[in-house]
Amino acid sequence: MSLGGKARAKFLCDAERCIECNACVTACKNENEVPWGINRRRVVTINDGKPGERSISVACMHCSDAPCMAVCPVDCFYQTDDGIVLHSKDLCIGCGYCFYACPFGAPQFPQAGNFGSRGKMDKCTFCAGGPEEDNSQAEFQKYGSNRIAEGKLPACAEQCATKALWPVTVMTWQRFIANALSLVASVQEPGAGELPTRRKAANSLTDRRGSPRLSVLLT
Amino acid sequence: MNLKIIGAGLIALLTFAVTPAYSEDEKQRASTGGAQTLDDILARQKGLEVDESFRRDNLGSSDNAQPASSSLGTLGGFSSSDIYRGIRYAESDIKVSNNSHASEILVQDGGMSWLLTREGNVRAFAGYGIGGIIIALAAFYFTRGRMTIEGGPSGQTIERFKSFERFGHWCLAGSFIMLACTGLLLLFGRSVIIPIFGHEANAAIANFSIWVHNNIAWVFMASLVAIFVMWVAHNIPSKLDLVWFAKGGGIIGNGHPSARKFNGGQKLIFWMTIVLGTSVSMSGLSLLFPFEMPMFAKTFAMINTVLPAMGLPTELLPHEEMQLAHLWHAIVATTMIIAIVAHIYIGSVGMEGAFDAMGDGQVDLEWARQHHDLWVEEEQAKGAPIGQAGDVR
């Protein structure tokens, strides 16, 4: 199963909700049996220990026009109908160019040998496996779980305790924004909207200072 | 009185003359509260360079914070927009839960221009440059022919390069040719090999290439040092070289300009190999040990002190260091390949008797007298033995 090719898969992370618990990193590593020494996902903390500290969980952003796909000297990347960027470890030569091209530092390389030679690149697959047959043993060994084929969401986002990390399609996100905007519009009408409703509407789009949320900006 | 009016008028004129553009810009900026103006957006749409300092430097301040006792005090004066700009321009104070130092950079956008330069200018330089020199040399060969020994070989020989010199040369030459070929395979694999032989073949070739490139590089670096130690004394530039270059190495006018062990052209090749070889080795080392040996920020700072007009960036992200190292490595290596193709031509098919110098080390005495007259005199004064062509050594 896929998302039907009608939408593009994206990760969104709400920095107002992320509590830097690193459960997404652990869940990903466990679900996909990520090679020793590397993690497909990382939690970035901004202004750590200071007022206004925020955290955000980052992995592959599954770019629409992905630089890694463009630069790869062996052309090992491909994009599914759902916009998930995947790659073939059979072709990958571990040159590391995708890491230099990636704006978000997503590709990871297990140490393979001497003189900086790296093993096959490993990165977030949106829990959608790789080119092998869905949920085959070969696919699991190389790329980890294919939860998308099972009709499930990526493991990191599914277990996020504060619901900071969302695996959404752009369509879902647009619908969410539209709903929130209509909610904001409705509470502006005189007499409408109790305080909780108004707060809910405002919280969904903006932070407590009234500026747009990081998740809105990163979309 | 009049003077005062004139003075005031002058001051007013000067004020208007100096500030209009500035104040206009400031006024526009103020009208959007310090954010983008219509001019910025239009300029960006036209693909013009936009000074983004108004965004890059507008990162919020803890001075804006509410007192800690108030309800918003804990947010510390930074809005999410401020933080986003900090991330976007890599100015934030960032800590990561795992992975490398480079993963502290949340957004870097140098990758796009890097990969476009790689598949644009660098491939064009390598393709047209190396293709061009081969065509030029072929044209030279077919119009001027092979440079022969005037009067034919004498049959007597003299030792030009000792065995350890030839060993050093061929280690350098062999490793360079392997590095050049594998480097070009990596650069052109996707655009040339994939369309013809397919993805699997290219991946197999590239996998082999990268292994050879990473390991043979050490032979290149070691023999580069050996070459330098062996030959630097013979390659100090002298007045003789200017005469040699003025005569175009013998192409212009009649007769061969005099030379000692190495002539002007050979000294040029020697110093090209040493300088560019060192540069390609340094950038290669920083590619072999990713993110461990950043050297461009420091180099740029040094260049800036000599040539402040260059205004090169001295603060580079780890990724940008790697991108620059990669581009520089490819450009310098291509320059070397172009020069070495010419060197290979002149040392093989281009000149009668030249290959023997690096072949068995024994060159024809007549060839040596024509090309390295002063060296032959020195050697004979030292009592160098004269052999016969065809001797088994």
Side-chain angles (χ1 to χ4, degrees):
Chain A
M1 195 203 95
S2 73
L3 304 172
K6 291 173 184 163
R8 301 191 65 87
K10 297 281 172 199
F11 279 115
L12 295 169
C13 183
D14 191 338
E16 304 283 320
R17 285 178 169 173
C18 179
I19 55 167
E20 196 196 349
C21 68
N22 279 290
C24 48
V25 181
T26 315
C28 168
K29 200 162 168 73
N30 183 55
E31 179 75 27
N32 296 305
E33 297 193 3
V34 177
W36 186 87
I38 59 170
N39 293 291
R40 290 180 178 177
R41 184 168 276 288
R42 70 191 196 271
V43 177
V44 171
T45 304
I46 303 133
N47 294 331
D48 190 27
K50 296 176 196 148
E53 168 185 325
R54 280 166 180 80
S55 293
I56 186 169
S57 172
V58 191
C60 176
M61 295 285 195
H62 301 280
C63 302
S64 306
D65 178 12
C68 55
M69 290 181 72
V71 79
C72 179
V74 293
D75 195 18
C76 78
F77 290 89
Y78 64 102
Q79 208 163 26
T80 67
D81 293 341
D82 312 318
I84 301 172
V85 177
L86 299 175
H87 71 295
S88 159
K89 285 193 182 184
D90 296 335
L91 297 179
C92 176
I93 57 169
C95 67
Y97 289 3
C98 48
F99 189 84
Y100 311 148
C102 177
F104 309 108
Q108 300 297 316
F109 297 89
Q111 186 73 32
N114 53 358
F115 312 144
S117 66
R118 290 159 284 205
K120 311 281 186 191
M121 188 272 279
D122 189 86
K123 76 167 188 67
C124 160
T125 63
F126 209 80
C127 283
E132 270 79 2
E133 192 193 335
D134 282 350
N135 292 315
S136 61
Q137 188 60 27
E139 185 189 47
F140 182 77
Q141 274 175 355
K142 288 178 195 164
Y143 310 97
S145 223
N146 191 342
R147 293 169 59 93
I148 296 291
E150 293 168 352
K152 295 176 188 165
L153 291 171
C156 55
E158 191 165 279
Q159 61 69 48
C160 179
T162 59
K163 294 284 166 277
L165 191 61
W166 294 13
V168 296
T169 65
V170 172
M171 275 169 69
T172 329
W173 182 245
Q174 282 166 342
R175 201 154 54 236
F176 167 77
I177 296 275
N179 284 345
L181 284 173
S182 67
L183 209 56
V184 172
S186 71
V187 295
Q188 280 165 349
E189 287 164 17
E194 293 302 309
L195 187 63
T197 326
R198 195 183 293 144
R199 192 175 282 158
K200 194 179 156 199
N203 276 355
S204 60
L205 281 179
T206 58
D207 65 14
R208 280 187 285 170
R209 290 188 166 275
S211 59
R213 283 190 171 212
L214 211 52
S215 48
V216 175
L217 289 163
L218 281 172
T219 311
Chain B
M1 183 68 190
N2 275 344
L3 265 178
K4 270 187 189 168
I5 291 168
I6 291 167
L10 259 177
I11 288 168
L13 264 177
L14 279 174
T15 318
F16 286 123
V18 172
T19 53
Y22 176 72
S23 64
E24 186 63 23
D25 196 43
E26 286 295 287
K27 207 161 73 185
Q28 277 203 357
R29 192 71 67 214
S31 72
T32 58
Q36 311 249 30
T37 63
L38 184 60
D39 283 356
D40 295 331
I41 295 163
L42 290 176
R44 196 172 284 118
Q45 281 178 357
K46 284 180 201 151
L48 301 173
E49 195 81 4
V50 180
D51 178 16
E52 302 224 275
S53 57
F54 70 91
R55 298 180 70 204
R56 197 168 47 239
D57 304 336
N58 187 9
L59 304 179
S61 159
S62 50
D63 300 342
N64 302 335
Q66 302 278 324
S69 54
S70 81
S71 59
L72 296 177
T74 50
L75 282 176
F78 300 96
S79 71
S80 288
S81 306
D82 295 330
I83 289 175
Y84 171 72
R85 280 191 296 272
I87 292 170
R88 175 68 187 72
Y89 296 106
E91 302 278 350
S92 310
D93 170 19
I94 278 181
K95 199 197 76 173
V96 278
S97 60
N98 47 264
N99 297 353
S100 65
H101 167 61
S103 62
E104 286 170 15
I105 307 301
L106 204 43
V107 179
Q108 63 96 14
D109 62 355
M112 235 29 218
S113 52
W114 165 64
L115 73 91
L116 290 175
T117 313
R118 177 180 177 269
E119 67 191 30
N121 294 346
V122 173
R123 269 187 201 159
F125 178 44
Y128 292 118
I130 297 168
I133 188 80
I134 290 172
I135 290 168
L137 289 169
F140 185 84
Y141 181 75
F142 288 116
T143 53
R144 295 286 298 262
R146 194 174 197 204
M147 282 183 264
T148 51
I149 302 172
E150 281 168 39
S154 66
Q156 289 183 310
T157 58
I158 183 168
E159 185 175 55
R160 177 144 169 80
F161 289 115
K162 294 188 171 57
S163 58
F164 67 87
E165 287 179 297
R166 302 200 300 274
F167 178 74
H169 173 268
W170 287 115
C171 278
L172 191 70
S175 60
F176 182 79
I177 290 167
M178 276 194 264
L179 291 168
C181 291
T182 52
L184 288 171
L185 283 171
L186 285 170
L187 184 60
F188 286 101
R190 185 162 169 178
S191 53
V192 177
I193 298 173
I194 287 182
I196 303 173
F197 299 107
H199 284 81
E200 280 78 17
N202 180 56
I205 293 169
N207 211 2
F208 173 73
S209 295
I210 202 167
W211 188 88
V212 167
H213 209 88
N214 284 356
N215 290 282
I216 299 294
W218 301 95
V219 179
F220 177 81
M221 286 185 267
S223 39
L224 192 69
V225 173
I227 287 288
F228 180 77
V229 172
M230 286 190 308
W231 288 342
V232 67
H234 297 291
N235 278 284
I236 311 296
S238 72
K239 268 190 197 160
L240 222 53
D241 303 329
L242 292 177
V243 180
W244 193 90
F245 281 115
K247 291 191 179 174
I251 291 176
I252 303 162
N254 288 326
H256 293 280
S258 6
R260 301 178 66 169
K261 181 157 180 169
F262 293 109
N263 63 35
Q266 288 168 324
K267 287 183 187 177
L268 197 67
I269 280 283
F270 175 81
W271 287 110
M272 186 283 305
T273 305
I274 294 299
V275 172
L276 297 190
T278 308
S279 188
V280 89
S281 303
M282 298 292 276
S283 52
L285 280 171
S286 80
L287 292 170
L288 277 175
F289 302 101
F291 303 106
E292 306 270 332
M293 296 174 63
M295 43 185 68
F296 276 84
K298 282 179 225 160
T299 314
F300 285 171
M302 275 188 258
I303 294 172
N304 278 345
T305 53
V306 185
L307 292 166
M310 298 280 283
L312 295 166
T314 53
E315 279 180 30
L316 294 168
L317 302 180
H319 302 70
E320 291 174 329
E321 286 278 358
M322 295 305 295
Q323 291 157 7
L324 284 169
H326 173 275
L327 290 182
W328 182 249
H329 191 77
I331 292 166
V332 173
T334 304
T335 313
M336 283 185 82
I337 294 171
I338 292 170
I340 293 300
V341 167
H343 176 70
I344 292 172
Y345 168 80
I346 201 81
S348 57
V349 293
M351 183 188 283
E352 184 185 4
F355 184 79
D356 295 336
M358 277 302 163
D360 60 4
Q362 309 291 325
V363 292
D364 191 87
L365 198 59
E366 189 53 36
W367 177 89
R369 284 211 181 99
Q370 287 172 16
H371 293 279
H372 300 279
D373 47 352
L374 300 177
W375 170 74
V376 173
E377 284 169 24
E378 281 167 31
E379 288 295 302
Q380 289 189 327
K382 277 192 278 183
I386 301 291
Q388 291 298 319
D391 279 359
V392 180
R393 273 171 289 267

